[in-house]
Amino acid sequence: MEQQRRIRVLVAKPGLDGHDRGAKVVARALRDAGMEVIYTGLRQTPEMIVEAALQEDVDVVGLSVLSGAHLTWVPKVTALLRERGADDVLVLVGGIIPQSDVPVLQGAGVRGIFGPGTPTTDIARFIEEQLGRTAAGVPIGAAH
Amino acid sequence: MYQSVPRTNPDPRALVEAALAGDVRAKARLFTLVENGGSEAQLVLASLAPRIGHAQVVGITGPPGAGKSTLVSRLAGALRLRGETVAVLAVDPSSPITGGAVLGDRIRMQNLHGDPGAYVRSLSTRGAVGGLARAVEDLVTVADALGFDHVLVETVGAGQDEADIAAIAPTVVLVEVPHLGDDVQAIKAGILEIADIFVVNKADREGADQAAAVLRTMLSLVHHPEAWKPPVLKISAINGEGISPLLDAVAAHQKYRQTNGSLEAWRVERARRRLLDGVRERLFERLLATVSRDELDALAVAVAEHRIAFGQAVENLLAVGRESVSL
């Protein structure tokens, strides 16, 4: 039987904008939900993000983009993950995403998009549901 | 070029093969399996066992904000320039309430991102005290077996008593900074006793000379039974100053360990400690398995309400265990 795997999340900010308050709030909230959050800091290239995601063996990559450049950066990250055989990693995007861009990001493989004002507990619950286990790694629905 | 490694129920032996062939994801999965423990971890460690014993292991410890992560990134960068490969195991604390953690050591290690010869793994203590995660020793073994020339282990921000690193790394570097305290702090027991090399970081700031002088004075008060006299080095990790002398000191200490036989003694001491830890853990698990939740709760309430002395309650628990645990 495989041991319980606590949920590990990489929170990264691709591109050049320097506003990381949102990313830090989410990192903190996921920590409070019991997850292990690796925060990589500002100004990450897609290559750096994907390499870190692979080395850290995360279940989730959360990208925070507030600069409007999400269509530039996000598909590069998902494409690189695919290329490296890691397209089972759950990719989420947080930031200011116009409604018209949502299908584009979803088409690129993004499974969750969270705008300003999203309760952080929603993000944690979404992750647990998508992965089918709790933050501590207990399979959901297998409690008895 | 990269095989997709299935996330669920991977065959540990196939993972080992893929990892040795250079697959980053397979390496990372091995670390995960070993970190999570259990029978799969034992299987992985057993298949890696013939390959261990080549890596140089260095522990980096010191108080929060002393610049450990920055120093580790500089050391790793300098080793990479020499063409040597480096694994970094960086530990940050977990929440005692939720078990979650924010692991931020990578922020200071941007120079290593994307370098295939450097592997950085962020670890949560997962409730362990002593400055490390419980699995760190096994994770060092994994890094060693995967062929990394150097393994740098960064502890959580350590104050006075988190000395577990000395049982993991034969060479321990203690990072201090100016203005941490007076000379009485420097003669207290604990972490100062286990360091092989002392570093005063942020030497670009005022007070570094004094901090180094305090450490040297402290060291001069101690009779060193061993021939190794811990050096005190001033560095500025953020500016990359003093890194080369520090690497020389690390190499000198590792050579010292190898030539005077103290490495063997250290290994035996470490094995003894692991054995006792293992026995303690197993005994504890077996004992707990014999005690019902209700019995434990009742005893805890009795202790909290001062109806039974703490020592007596412990004896009662042990008595339950003695009846049912066969040793």
Side-chain angles (χ1 to χ4, degrees):
Chain A
M1 193 196 96
E2 194 173 9
Q3 289 296 113
Q4 289 171 359
R5 264 173 61 90
R6 187 171 285 274
I7 293 177
R8 284 169 70 85
V9 184
L10 186 87
V11 173
K13 274 199 69 68
L16 297 173
D17 82 89
H19 304 279
D20 63 347
R21 189 176 152 76
K24 284 176 177 159
V25 167
V26 169
R28 165 82 201 260
L30 296 180
R31 181 201 86 179
D32 288 343
M35 300 176 190
E36 289 180 359
V37 184
I38 295 115
Y39 183 60
T40 61
L42 296 168
R43 298 185 190 90
Q44 301 283 298
T45 66
E47 287 78 10
M48 289 158 96
I49 291 167
V50 169
E51 186 67 27
L54 293 173
Q55 290 189 1
E56 298 284 1
D57 195 22
V58 292
D59 307 284
V60 184
V61 171
L63 301 170
S64 165
V65 194
L66 295 164
S67 61
H70 45 274
L71 292 184
T72 310
W73 297 114
V74 175
K76 281 186 183 148
V77 172
T78 51
L80 267 175
L81 281 172
R82 250 194 316 279
E83 199 179 297
R84 305 286 298 267
D87 48 355
D88 56 339
V89 173
L90 177 65
V91 179
L92 313 177
V93 172
I96 302 156
I97 310 295
Q99 198 52 41
S100 56
D101 291 345
V102 168
V104 184
L105 293 181
Q106 284 172 335
V110 175
R111 305 241 295 274
I113 297 169
F114 301 93
T118 308
T120 51
T121 46
D122 286 6
I123 304 175
R125 198 176 316 123
F126 181 83
I127 291 172
E128 291 186 330
E129 280 168 11
Q130 289 283 314
L131 296 179
R133 64 185 205 272
T134 66
V138 181
I140 292 171
H144 35 258
Chain B
M1 160 177 180
Y2 288 96
Q3 293 284 310
S4 183
V5 180
R7 186 164 280 282
T8 50
N9 301 323
D11 173 10
R13 272 157 302 210
L15 273 179
V16 169
E17 232 166 84
L20 289 170
D23 183 337
V24 181
R25 203 162 195 223
K27 288 181 192 175
R29 290 303 324 269
L30 287 179
F31 281 99
T32 303
L33 285 179
V34 170
E35 185 184 16
N36 289 342
S39 56
E40 283 173 324
Q42 294 313 315
L43 205 56
V44 169
L45 290 168
S47 48
L48 291 176
R51 302 178 170 275
I52 63 175
H54 305 291
Q56 296 215 313
V57 184
V58 178
I60 315 288
T61 190
K68 294 182 294 299
S69 300
T70 305
L71 176 59
V72 165
S73 79
R74 291 292 185 177
L75 289 174
L79 292 166
R80 291 295 299 130
L81 279 178
R82 297 181 184 178
E84 293 161 44
T85 56
V86 186
V88 174
L89 303 175
V91 188
D92 268 331
S94 64
S95 157
I97 298 157
T98 66
V102 171
L103 312 173
D105 290 325
R106 280 192 96 95
I107 297 172
R108 313 268 175 252
M109 300 185 190
Q110 308 282 359
N111 60 323
L112 304 176
H113 290 189
D115 175 354
Y119 177 90
V120 180
R121 182 70 174 222
S122 309
L123 302 167
S124 148
T125 54
R126 296 194 176 174
V129 293
L132 292 170
R134 215 168 274 116
V136 162
E137 184 150 22
D138 288 335
L139 297 175
V140 169
T141 301
V142 173
D144 184 356
L146 290 177
F148 287 99
D149 299 317
H150 300 268
V151 184
L152 305 180
V153 182
E154 178 188 338
T155 73
V156 303
Q160 298 179 312
D161 208 16
E162 293 90 344
D164 282 4
I165 186 66
I168 304 287
T171 300
V172 175
V173 177
L174 175 64
V175 186
E176 295 265 357
V177 285
H179 302 298
L180 269 188
D182 61 15
D183 51 354
V184 179
Q185 294 291 347
I187 55 173
K188 286 186 180 171
I191 206 165
L192 290 166
E193 291 176 278
I194 54 124
D196 303 299
I197 297 164
F198 290 82
V199 158
V200 176
N201 189 26
K202 311 194 185 182
D204 48 309
R205 299 193 186 173
E206 168 273 322
D209 285 327
Q210 198 194 347
V214 166
L215 286 171
R216 288 200 183 99
T217 308
M218 179 274 290
L219 290 167
S220 73
L221 296 175
V222 190
H223 170 66
H224 291 279
E226 298 182 71
W228 178 259
K229 300 269 181 283
V232 178
L233 305 172
K234 284 191 296 172
I235 66 164
S236 170
I238 200 135
N239 297 321
E241 285 159 17
I243 301 303
S244 191
L246 175 55
L247 279 176
D248 292 344
V250 168
H253 184 257
Q254 303 239 339
K255 193 167 169 225
Y256 162 79
R257 281 282 205 199
Q258 275 155 11
T259 47
N260 80 339
S262 77
L263 190 61
E264 280 69 45
W266 177 83
R267 285 202 175 119
V268 171
E269 188 47 45
R270 185 178 71 158
R272 185 201 317 277
R273 185 187 148 122
R274 287 203 81 189
L275 271 173
L276 292 177
D277 281 350
V279 168
R280 189 180 305 129
E281 210 165 287
R282 294 283 174 86
L283 269 181
F284 184 66
E285 279 167 16
R286 285 192 204 172
L287 176 73
L288 272 196
T290 67
V291 180
S292 77
R293 186 72 187 255
D294 290 345
E295 280 176 296
L296 189 57
D297 285 350
L299 264 177
V301 170
V303 170
E305 292 176 353
H306 303 293
R307 282 189 280 108
I308 179 171
F310 171 74
Q312 186 56 50
V314 171
E315 286 300 328
N316 288 3
L317 273 180
L318 286 175
V320 175
R322 262 194 294 274
E323 280 166 26
S324 33
V325 179
S326 56
L327 291 175

